[in-house]
């Protein structure tokens, strides 16, 4: 069977193997190059997924050069240097090489992490070729100047277009108000993109993309020996150093001192409303209580309090939601909705009242039971594919969680009480000091 068809067949069969993954152990070790590896052996499907995480997200962008981490990630696919007998490859040749392998390789940057992900069949010859090609992109990008000029122009045009949409205007204003000058609030602009140079990218890559900074998660049909060799191959084109110089600390997100409201005129059919504040970091011991609490408040879809009060009882919005976005620092707590411009004031007041009451009183026993049943019953859907399981293993790796974290997830949820949830939400949310952004509402 051709590799591409075989890969598709394997992907379609993933759900057949998923139930066993809930109890598969996670192995963990550190290589002599300093790279830390987490492995789940899943031998049923001849496939492997790998994620390499490095502390090189946008929070590491220098002042005035927001977008640098994302630019480094994007340029990974734009060409690699010649190396020995290996010729240089441009972006078209790289695309053709991956298509021939029936494998995939991507890079992206979020607030905290620069991530490289590889998916391949585990046929030894195929996997070795895929790993060596990925290693070239990780360690030997060619940084073609003409391509960066083109990509910067595309990115700039995209930013201009995004600025014409009310949802983007609201998101930018909300981020500015919640995070202030913290790196979580900085974003690429035309000015910061114009300031980015290839030398900036090369220096950022040299500082942050090193084996001793890598946390590597592997899920698939590989034993420890093969997984260890795969990781070594992936990182082989980077300078080796068992220890890395510590990166400078990043300040924590400052809490809001007082409530703030920003109303932005916009000719749109719907008013866009965002309400929130800094939330919590992923390491916070209240994590499970806050997951359950937010599920009841606004994360549980049609069963949430916000949906009941804003949509069902008053018909103010088709959809209303809330969520926490914890990271290495306190990501935002966000409540969002869209409504008719003439209903924006009422929708804002109802949403605020729901949050304030929930923080003060907590959930009912019935709400807590329903949330637990939903979250525990849906736990299998969190790990029902290779990529979902990889995401969970990478979460464990990145946040230094216990290796048996997944085995105890449902128990931690089940053990929560109404008092636990109420206390956790009250510790994290201050309704009287939240930011409100309304784009397109009527005065």
């Amino acid at each position: 069977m051709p590799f591409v068809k075989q890969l598709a067949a394997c992907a379609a069969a993933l759900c057949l193997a998923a139930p066993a993954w809930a109890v598969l152990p996670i192995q963990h070790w550190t290589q002599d190059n300093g790279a830390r590896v987490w492995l789940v052996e899943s031998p049923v499907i001849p496939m492997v997924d790998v994620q390499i995480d490095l502390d090189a997200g946008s929070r590491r962008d220098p002042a005035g050069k927001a977008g640098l981490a994302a630019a480094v990630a994007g340029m990974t696919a734009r060409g690699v240097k010649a190396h020995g007998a290996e010729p240089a490859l441009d972006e078209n040749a790289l695309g053709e090489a991956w298509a021939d392998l029936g494998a995939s390789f991507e890079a992206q940057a979020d607030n905290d992490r620069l991530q490289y992900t590889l998916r391949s069949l585990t046929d030894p010859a195929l996997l070795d070729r895929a790993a060596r090609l990925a290693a070239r992109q990780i360690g030997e990008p060619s940084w073609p100047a003409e391509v960066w000029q083109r990509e910067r122009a595309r990115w700039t045009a995209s930013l201009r277009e995004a600025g014409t949409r009310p949802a983007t205007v609201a998101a930018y204003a909300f981020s500015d108000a919640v995070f202030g000058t913290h790196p979580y609030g900085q974003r690429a602009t035309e000015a910061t993109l114009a300031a980015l140079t290839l030398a900036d990218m090369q220096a950022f890559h040299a500082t942050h993309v090193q084996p001793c900074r890598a946390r590597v998660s592997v899920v698939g049909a590989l034993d420890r020996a093969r997984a260890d060799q795969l990781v070594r191959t992936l990182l082989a084109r980077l300078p080796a150093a068992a220890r890395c110089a510590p990166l400078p600390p990043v300040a924590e997100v400052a809490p809001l001192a007082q409530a703030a409201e920003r109303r932005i005129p916009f000719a749109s059919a719907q008013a866009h409303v965002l309400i929130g504040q800094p939330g919590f970091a992923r390491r916070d011991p209240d994590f499970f209580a806050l997951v359950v609490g937010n599920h009841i408040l606004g994360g549980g879809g049609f069963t949430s309090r916000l949906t009941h009060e804003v949509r069902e009882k008053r018909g103010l919005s088709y959809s209303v939601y809330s969520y926490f976005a914890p990271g290495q620092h306190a990501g935002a707590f966000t409540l969002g909705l869209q409504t008719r411009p003439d209903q924006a004031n009422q929708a804002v007041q109802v949403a605020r009242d729901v949050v304030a009451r929930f923080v003060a009183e907590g959930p009912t026993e019935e709400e807590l039971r329903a949330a637990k049943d939903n979250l525990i019953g849906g736990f299998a859907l969190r790990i029902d594919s290779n990529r979902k399981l990889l995401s969970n293993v990478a979460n464990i790796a990145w946040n230094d969680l216990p290796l048996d974290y997944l085995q105890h997830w449902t128990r931690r949820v089940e053990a929560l009480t109404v008092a636990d949830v109420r206390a956790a939400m009250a510790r994290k949310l201050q309704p009287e000091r939240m930011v409100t952004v309304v784009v397109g509402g009527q005065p």
Side-chain angles (χ1 to χ4, degrees):
M1 180 185 294
F3 280 128
V4 173
K5 291 184 178 179
Q6 187 178 355
L7 185 63
C10 289
L14 283 175
C15 59
L16 300 178
W21 287 343
V23 296
L24 290 176
I26 299 175
Q27 302 174 57
H28 172 50
W29 67 94
T30 301
Q31 296 184 334
D32 54 12
N33 60 12
R36 286 168 284 181
V37 186
W38 286 256
L39 167 67
V40 171
E41 294 185 38
S42 180
V44 178
I45 305 298
M47 177 184 291
V48 64
D49 284 275
V50 183
Q51 180 169 315
I52 301 172
D53 289 316
L54 300 124
D55 185 355
S58 63
R59 72 179 187 144
R60 296 293 178 186
D61 288 347
K65 296 197 174 183
L68 179 56
V72 169
M75 291 296 286
T76 297
R78 304 309 175 194
V80 295
K81 300 174 183 177
H83 182 96
E86 299 170 327
L89 300 175
D90 64 14
E91 56 188 333
N92 294 322
L94 279 174
E96 291 171 0
W98 285 113
D100 289 343
L101 290 169
S104 63
F105 179 78
E106 297 178 354
Q108 64 179 2
D110 60 20
N111 280 345
D112 293 321
R113 293 179 278 184
L114 176 62
Q115 301 175 344
Y116 298 103
T117 55
L118 170 68
R119 163 170 276 204
S120 173
L121 294 173
T122 52
D123 172 84
L126 175 68
L127 181 56
D128 181 66
R129 288 168 59 199
R132 291 179 184 278
L133 183 58
R136 296 185 70 187
Q137 289 188 233
I138 294 170
E140 299 170 346
S142 58
W143 314 109
E146 68 283 359
V147 173
W148 168 237
Q149 296 297 327
R150 182 198 69 202
E151 292 303 303
R152 177 161 54 190
R154 287 181 177 177
W155 196 349
T156 299
S158 177
L159 290 177
R160 290 172 182 167
E161 193 277 332
T164 67
R165 298 195 295 263
T168 303
V169 174
Y172 286 174
F174 181 75
S175 178
D176 290 343
V178 169
F179 295 116
T181 60
H182 190 272
Y184 273 9
Q186 68 180 355
R187 60 181 175 274
T189 66
E190 291 185 45
T192 66
L193 292 182
L196 295 184
T197 67
L198 294 177
D200 293 327
M201 296 178 209
Q202 292 165 341
F204 187 93
H205 183 272
T207 298
H208 295 90
V209 184
Q210 301 180 38
C212 47
R213 300 198 194 282
R215 300 187 183 212
V216 188
S217 303
V218 184
V219 174
L222 296 179
D223 60 19
R224 175 166 172 162
R226 287 193 68 195
D228 187 72
Q229 183 55 53
L230 171 61
V231 174
R232 290 183 184 280
T233 300
L234 288 170
L235 303 177
R237 303 298 178 96
L238 295 169
R243 295 176 63 87
C244 289
L247 294 173
V250 177
E252 296 300 331
V253 178
L256 299 180
Q258 60 187 10
E261 184 170 310
R262 186 172 180 192
R263 303 224 170 210
I264 302 173
F266 204 101
S268 56
Q270 294 277 296
H272 292 249
V273 176
L274 294 174
I275 302 171
Q277 63 166 88
F280 65 97
R282 179 58 184 82
R283 62 184 176 273
D284 196 291
D286 283 334
F287 175 79
F288 282 97
L290 294 165
V291 167
V292 174
N294 182 70
H295 185 87
I296 298 166
L297 174 61
F302 289 117
T303 64
S304 74
R305 275 204 190 183
L306 281 167
T307 296
H308 178 69
E309 294 293 334
V310 176
R311 171 183 160 142
E312 301 299 335
K313 287 181 66 173
R314 297 171 176 84
L316 295 172
S317 179
Y318 178 79
S319 174
V320 57
Y321 58 87
S322 67
Y323 63 90
F324 288 102
Q328 293 295 293
H329 309 280
F333 166 77
T334 305
L335 184 162
L337 61 90
Q338 294 178 38
T339 188
R340 278 190 353 225
D342 62 307
Q343 295 179 329
N345 291 339
Q346 183 185 5
V348 166
Q349 190 57 56
V350 171
R352 286 173 173 169
D353 290 345
V354 172
V355 173
R357 180 179 176 185
F358 188 74
V359 171
E361 300 177 0
T364 65
E365 290 286 355
E366 292 76 15
E367 287 175 323
L368 180 60
R369 183 69 266 160
K372 287 182 178 181
D373 290 345
N374 185 279
L375 290 167
I376 293 172
F379 177 74
L381 299 178
R382 294 172 179 263
I383 53 173
D384 66 352
S385 72
N386 237 31
R387 282 202 172 104
K388 288 183 183 178
L389 183 56
L390 179 71
S391 178
N392 278 279
V393 175
N395 174 51
I396 290 169
W398 184 250
N399 294 294
D400 295 313
L401 300 175
L403 296 184
D404 60 357
Y405 172 81
L406 292 176
Q407 283 88 336
H408 296 288
W409 196 96
T410 57
R411 296 179 200 171
R412 297 285 299 274
V413 170
E414 181 59 44
L416 292 167
T417 66
V418 166
D420 294 332
V421 174
R422 181 176 63 246
M425 296 296 282
R427 280 192 287 267
K428 297 302 180 295
L429 297 184
Q430 297 80 43
E432 73 283 359
R433 298 206 301 268
M434 288 188 178
V435 164
T436 301
V437 173
V438 180
V439 174
Q442 292 179 359

